[in-house]
Amino acid sequence: MEVFPVFYDVDPSDVRKQEGTFAKAFAEHEKENIEKVQTWRVALRKVANLSGWHLRDRSEAEVIQDIVKVTFDKLRHSHTFLVDTKKLVGINSRVEQLMSHLAIGSKDVRIVGIWGIGGMGKTTLARVVYDMVFNQFEACGFIDDVRVNNEKHDLLWLQKELLKKLLICKDIDKKDVNDIDLMLKNRLRHKKILLVLDDVNESKQLDKLVGSRD
């Protein structure tokens, strides 16, 4: 378990030394249970020695953005590999070929298509490579069953799902497709992104979910 303390309207030294308001509060609680308060003291000394955030003169919004970024990066890099490639016959050579097309180290915009008959392992190949490289990107998303969801819902619904995954947005209130198009361009065009669209069967799906190379 990793702990990232946030010192909100309190000095880290007061937490470490249990001075100021902590001294008064602990003195009151020790009247009821000295042993419990002692465990609190030990825990707070450890917390105060950890790297975290101290608001000081910074705005809450800035600190929240920092916390979200660090936490999300930690979660991305701790992600476990989901597919056991030993059970997938012939997958390794296909993985190497697809990786070479991605050219992750370059600054180009790459669009790579995996085409073939159903059941040949296109989705599995995409998922394996995605799990191997996603933590090298600022944002990433794997949109499943584009064809089915386009028929079941619509392209606007798919665009909202894409924004939710790439921008970690829970609620997208925009109802107009053009507004979503602008949001996709403005919010994502300067980020290094990995996007996988699974089971695309119409060019308009690519137009609305990917757009142009800029």
Side-chain angles (χ1 to χ4, degrees), residues 148-155 157-158:
V148 173
N149 282 310
N150 186 27
E151 295 171 355
K152 185 177 180 181
H153 303 285
D154 53 28
L155 278 173
W157 183 90
L158 281 167

Side-chain angles (χ1 to χ4, degrees), residues 12-209:
S13 65
D14 286 349
V15 179
R16 185 182 302 107
K17 300 175 183 177
Q18 279 109 55
E19 297 177 342
T21 55
F22 285 90
K24 182 179 179 180
F26 281 176
E28 289 295 321
H29 286 294
E30 281 179 337
K31 296 176 183 178
E32 300 176 8
N33 193 325
I34 295 178
E35 292 182 1
K36 180 181 287 188
V37 173
Q38 188 60 33
T39 62
W40 295 350
R41 289 184 183 277
V42 173
L44 285 177
R45 289 192 193 101
K46 290 182 179 180
V47 167
N49 287 319
L50 295 175
S51 176
W53 293 271
H54 184 196
L55 261 70
R56 291 177 183 154
D57 298 325
R58 298 182 65 197
S59 70
E60 291 181 21
E62 289 178 347
V63 176
I64 289 171
Q65 287 181 338
D66 287 348
I67 294 170
V68 170
K69 185 179 186 305
V70 170
T71 305
F72 183 58
D73 286 344
K74 286 286 183 181
L75 289 173
R76 286 170 60 191
H77 285 87
S78 65
H79 184 79
T80 55
F81 193 68
L82 298 178
V83 181
D84 181 6
T85 57
K86 293 180 181 179
K87 299 178 181 178
L88 303 175
V89 179
I91 192 74
N92 291 331
S93 60
R94 293 182 180 182
V95 166
E96 290 178 8
Q97 186 179 10
L98 180 53
M99 291 278 281
S100 67
H101 287 304
L102 290 178
I104 296 174
S106 73
K107 294 184 179 181
D108 295 338
V109 176
R110 294 291 178 97
I111 299 176
V112 180
I114 306 175
W115 179 86
I117 60 174
M120 66 178 294
K122 300 184 298 296
T123 299
T124 300
L125 174 61
R127 175 62 74 180
V128 168
V129 173
Y130 179 89
D131 284 340
M132 291 174 66
V133 303
F134 78 98
N135 59 4
Q136 300 180 46
F137 294 81
E138 294 177 64
C140 51
F142 196 109
I143 310 298
D144 298 290
D145 302 322
V146 171
R147 175 180 56 82
V148 173
N149 282 310
N150 186 27
E151 295 171 355
K152 185 177 180 181
H153 303 285
D154 53 28
L155 278 173
L156 180 59
W157 183 90
L158 281 167
Q159 286 181 312
K160 290 180 179 180
E161 287 300 301
L162 187 152
L163 278 173
K164 289 177 184 177
K165 291 194 176 185
L166 293 181
L167 297 176
I168 326 173
C169 300
K170 291 185 178 179
D171 299 308
I172 306 294
D173 295 327
K174 299 285 186 180
K175 295 182 180 180
D176 185 76
V177 175
N178 293 324
D179 287 343
I180 294 289
D181 285 346
L182 288 173
M183 187 181 294
L184 282 167
K185 290 178 181 178
N186 293 335
R187 297 288 296 276
L188 302 176
R189 69 191 312 167
H190 298 300
K191 290 180 177 290
K192 184 179 179 182
I193 289 170
L194 174 65
L195 172 63
V196 177
L197 304 175
D198 178 52
D199 198 17
V200 170
N201 71 326
E202 294 182 17
S203 60
K204 66 179 181 180
Q205 295 163 355
L206 285 177
D207 293 338
K208 287 299 181 182
L209 298 175

